[in-house]
Amino acid sequence: MRLSRYFLPILKETPSEASIASHRLMLRAGMIRQSSAGIYSWLPMGFKVLRQLENIVHEEQIRAGHNPMLMPTVQSADLWRESGRYEDYGEEMLRITDRHGHDMLYGPTNEELITDIFRNSVQSYKQLPLTLYHIQWKFRDERRPRFGVMRGREFFMKDGYNFDIDKPAAMHAYNRHMVSYLRTYERMGLKAIPMRADSGPIGGDDTHEFLVLADTGESEVFYDSAILDLNLGDRAVDYDDWDQCAAINTEWTTPYARTDETHDAAKFAEVPEERRCSSRGIEVGQIFYFGTKYSDSMNAKVVNGDGDLVPVHMGSHGIGVSRLVGAIIEASHDDKGIIWPEAVTPFKVGIVNLRQGDEAADGACEALYKELTALGLEPLYDDREERAGAKFATMDLIGLPWRLTIGPRGLKNGVVELTSRKTGVSEELVPAEAVARLVEIYAGV
RNA sequence: CGGGGCGUGGCGCAGUCUGGUAGCGCACCUGUUUUGGGUACAGGGGGUCGUGAGUUCGAAUCUCGCCGCCCCGACCA
C-alpha cells in the first residue's frame, strides 16, 4: 500500500478524550474514530488489525475442531424470557421494540440463541460432541464506557458453545478450549495467563479468565511467576486426546494465578516469596463450564445410549477480539507510539523514502515496494512529499515492526537501512539482503 | 447511577468572571525555501461559538431547559 493513497488520518496532538495509551494511540494512529460513547468506527488500519486477529481466532478454532457460523446481532426477547435472563440481565441489555411492538434486543451474548438452534436440530447423543462458535458484534450498555475499544459498549467477540453428553465429555471440551486459547494468544505475540475467576452473570462452576499483564489493566492479579515460563510453542496437540488436553490444562492451572475476585491470600503465601507477583491485568477471554443450566431451562435434551432423554452439558467461551487490539497496544508501546508484534501488524514493513522526487531514491523504493509486495510481505510505502522527520514520526507512531529507510546518501554506497521498531537497532544492507532478512523474519510468523 | 468537569474551524486551546458581533497553535491550500528525526518565510480558505427559549439596542459571554462527551467512584468482556 502506498501511504499517499491510504486513508490514515494521523493526529499530531492527543485528543482530549483519551486517557490511556491504547486509546490515545489508536486515535492518533488513525485506527479508530469515536462515533458515540463506547461506539467506534474502525478506519482502514484499525480494521486491518481487527480482521487479522479475527483470522487467527478462526484458524485456531477450526484447528480445534469447532464449527464456525454466524448468529444475528438482534435477537427476540422471547428466548431470553424462557431462560429467565431477560429480567436478570438488567440495564446492560439494549432493548429495542420493533414496529410490531415486539420486544427485541441487541445481543450481549448468545447462549439462548445457540441453545434454541441446538435443541431444534439435535436429538441424539450420536450427534455429540458439538462445538459451535461465531465472531460477531455484541452490545452491552455499559454505565460508563471508557478506555476506547477496551471497554466499549459495542464490541467484537468470538463466542463459542460446546454441547456434550455428560460432564466428563464437557470437561474435555473445557480443556480443549483452554489449549486452543493458549495457542491463539501465543500466536498473537501475547502472554495471556489463565486465572481462576468468578462466573459472573453467565453462571457455572468451572471458569478461567485469560489476562494480559499491563499496568492499565482493570483487574488486580496475583500469580506465581513460574507461569510466565510456560510455553506451548510448536508442540503437537491432538485436540481429540482427552489426556493430553487435560495434562496441558493441569500444567497451566497448577501455578497460582488468580484475580482479586478469587484471590486466596493463604494459598498465595505457599508460593515461594521470590515468585509471588502481583500486577494489573486486562481480561481478553474467558471459558466456562456451566453444566445443564441452559439445557434445563430451555429444554435442550438428547437421547442417550440407554434411550433416556437427558439434558446436555454445556460450556461457553469468549475471546474479546476488539478488546485485544487495545490490549496488545497496552502491552506493547512506547512514548513514540505502537510497537506491533509481527503476527498482528497491519503492514509487515514500512518503506521510508527520505527524498521523494530524487530519481535514485524513488527508483530504489519502487523496486523494493514491488518486490516485497510480490513476496507477500505487505509493505506500507511512505511516498508522501514529506520531510524525513515527519515520515519517521509517522512510522514510529503506527508501529510497524520493521522499517526500510532509503535515501540518496545510503544509495551512493548501495545500501538501505533496516530498523527494528522494538529495539531501534539498524543495519545497513544491500537491498537484496534486506529483502532476504524480512523473508526470514516473517517465515516463522 | 452518585460526584466532578467540558462542549468555540479537522485537532489542541484562549476568549465567558466584567455582553459590543471571534482569536492562537497544529493541520489544510498556493508560492518560495529546506531536505537522514515533525524546516523556514509569505499569502490564503475554513467556525450561525452543542441546542432551544429568554433577558438586552446588542449574547460565545447573563438566565432557564434540553442534548452530547470526558474524568473519579460503584459495576463490567
Side-chain angles (χ1 to χ4, degrees):
Chain A
M1 180 60 68
R2 292 169 198 275
L3 192 47
S4 62
R5 295 199 211 151
Y6 196 54
F7 183 63
L8 186 74
I10 59 166
L11 266 26
K12 216 168 185 176
E13 286 172 283
T14 301
S16 58
E17 74 258 27
S19 61
I20 65 165
S22 61
H23 189 195
R24 199 165 59 232
L25 291 170
M26 288 181 77
L27 288 166
R28 286 198 54 211
M31 295 177 68
I32 53 168
R33 285 293 181 266
Q34 180 165 318
S35 161
S36 57
I39 301 177
Y40 294 86
S41 291
W42 292 74
L43 308 187
M45 197 175 79
F47 181 58
K48 199 157 191 286
V49 174
L50 187 67
R51 276 282 175 265
Q52 285 176 181
L53 296 182
E54 182 186 9
N55 286 341
I56 290 174
V57 173
H58 268 303
E59 284 174 19
E60 291 305 325
Q61 285 301 304
I62 289 165
R63 196 198 300 270
H66 304 158
N67 290 259
M69 61 182 292
L70 187 61
M71 286 178 270
T73 53
V74 175
Q75 306 179 22
S76 162
D78 293 344
L79 284 172
W80 287 71
R81 291 203 175 93
E82 192 178 339
S83 72
R85 285 209 295 178
Y86 191 64
E87 288 72 29
D88 293 349
Y89 218 94
E91 297 286 302
E92 305 237 307
M93 181 183 281
L94 179 62
R95 294 150 204 266
I96 306 165
T97 307
D98 73 11
R99 67 196 297 165
H100 303 294
H102 293 148
D103 293 327
M104 311 292 284
L105 57 97
Y106 198 112
T109 178
N110 293 270
E111 278 84 1
E112 284 78 1
L113 204 46
I114 197 76
T115 305
D116 183 54
I117 290 166
F118 175 88
R119 69 183 173 186
N120 290 332
S121 304
V122 178
Q123 283 80 38
S124 161
Y125 77 98
K126 291 180 182 173
Q127 290 163 277
L128 304 183
L130 180 64
T131 296
L132 300 166
Y133 79 94
H134 75 337
I135 304 180
Q136 176 63 291
W137 291 94
K138 313 276 192 296
F139 197 95
R140 289 182 199 168
D141 198 1
E142 297 282 343
R143 280 184 190 141
R144 180 152 93 89
R146 62 183 117 174
F147 305 150
V149 299
M150 299 258 291
R151 191 170 165 199
R153 292 194 291 174
E154 189 180 50
F155 56 100
F156 197 51
M157 174 175 177
K158 172 261 167 181
D159 51 320
Y161 307 87
N162 68 282
F163 303 89
D164 288 279
I165 190 64
D166 54 21
K167 183 167 181 180
M171 289 314 296
H172 171 244
Y174 188 88
N175 295 336
R176 191 178 65 234
H177 279 87
M178 170 71 74
V179 178
S180 70
Y181 275 32
L182 289 170
R183 256 189 117 120
T184 302
Y185 297 122
E186 257 186 45
R187 273 192 62 186
M188 294 174 181
L190 280 176
K191 184 64 87 177
I193 305 174
M195 301 200 178
R196 181 160 296 280
D198 258 354
S199 54
I202 294 182
D205 307 323
D206 284 277
T207 176
H208 281 86
E209 290 180 339
F210 294 78
L211 287 107
V212 172
L213 302 180
D215 297 337
T216 44
E218 74 273 51
S219 327
E220 188 164 17
V221 299
F222 304 85
Y223 59 96
D224 177 344
S225 63
I227 201 164
L228 297 175
D229 301 327
L230 296 176
N231 216 309
L232 219 44
D234 48 12
R235 78 174 84 166
V237 175
D238 178 353
Y239 283 106
D240 291 327
D241 184 335
W242 288 30
D243 293 338
Q244 188 190 15
C245 290
I248 292 172
N249 182 65
T250 302
E251 188 180 345
W252 256 269
T253 55
T254 300
Y256 188 91
R258 296 192 179 196
T259 64
D260 49 2
E261 295 166 329
T262 54
H263 182 52
D264 180 335
K267 279 202 173 132
F268 191 46
E270 292 168 17
V271 177
E273 191 174 355
E274 68 278 9
R275 296 197 337 232
R276 258 179 254 158
C277 297
S278 86
S279 67
R280 310 290 300 178
I282 301 167
E283 191 194 332
V284 293
Q286 188 160 11
I287 56 177
F288 300 89
Y289 163 72
F290 46 66
T292 58
K293 177 181 161 106
Y294 295 94
S295 46
D296 280 332
S297 64
M298 296 187 66
N299 201 35
K301 295 179 178 171
V302 296
V303 175
N304 68 13
D306 299 325
D308 302 323
L309 206 52
V310 297
V312 290
H313 285 249
M314 295 174 59
S316 75
H317 334 87
I319 294 179
V321 180
S322 50
R323 162 175 272 210
L324 267 167
V325 179
I328 290 169
I329 295 171
E330 286 299 328
S332 182
H333 70 275
D334 62 17
D335 55 356
K336 290 180 188 159
I338 301 166
I339 305 173
W340 290 114
E342 273 116 4
V344 303
T345 184
F347 296 95
K348 293 184 167 58
V349 55
I351 300 174
V352 169
N353 185 345
L354 291 175
R355 190 80 62 83
Q356 208 69 41
D358 177 88
E359 205 176 312
D362 289 359
C365 286
E366 283 295 330
L368 275 166
Y369 176 68
K370 289 191 175 118
E371 187 175 359
L372 290 166
T373 302
L375 287 166
L377 285 171
E378 286 198 293
L380 180 66
Y381 172 23
D382 190 345
D383 58 344
R384 296 172 303 162
E385 299 284 345
E386 287 285 351
R387 303 199 29 151
K391 293 190 177 186
F392 287 141
T394 298
M395 283 296 171
D396 288 343
L397 174 62
I398 68 175
L400 307 186
W402 297 93
R403 186 185 80 206
L404 269 176
T405 309
I406 297 162
R409 190 189 293 172
L411 288 174
K412 251 182 237 168
N413 302 317
V415 297
V416 298
E417 196 177 85
L418 183 64
T419 307
S420 160
R421 173 67 179 83
K422 193 173 190 171
T423 65
V425 174
S426 292
E427 38 182 341
E428 294 202 326
L429 302 164
V430 301
E433 284 173 347
V435 171
R437 277 280 291 130
L438 286 165
V439 168
E440 184 191 334
I441 287 162
Y442 281 102
V445 176

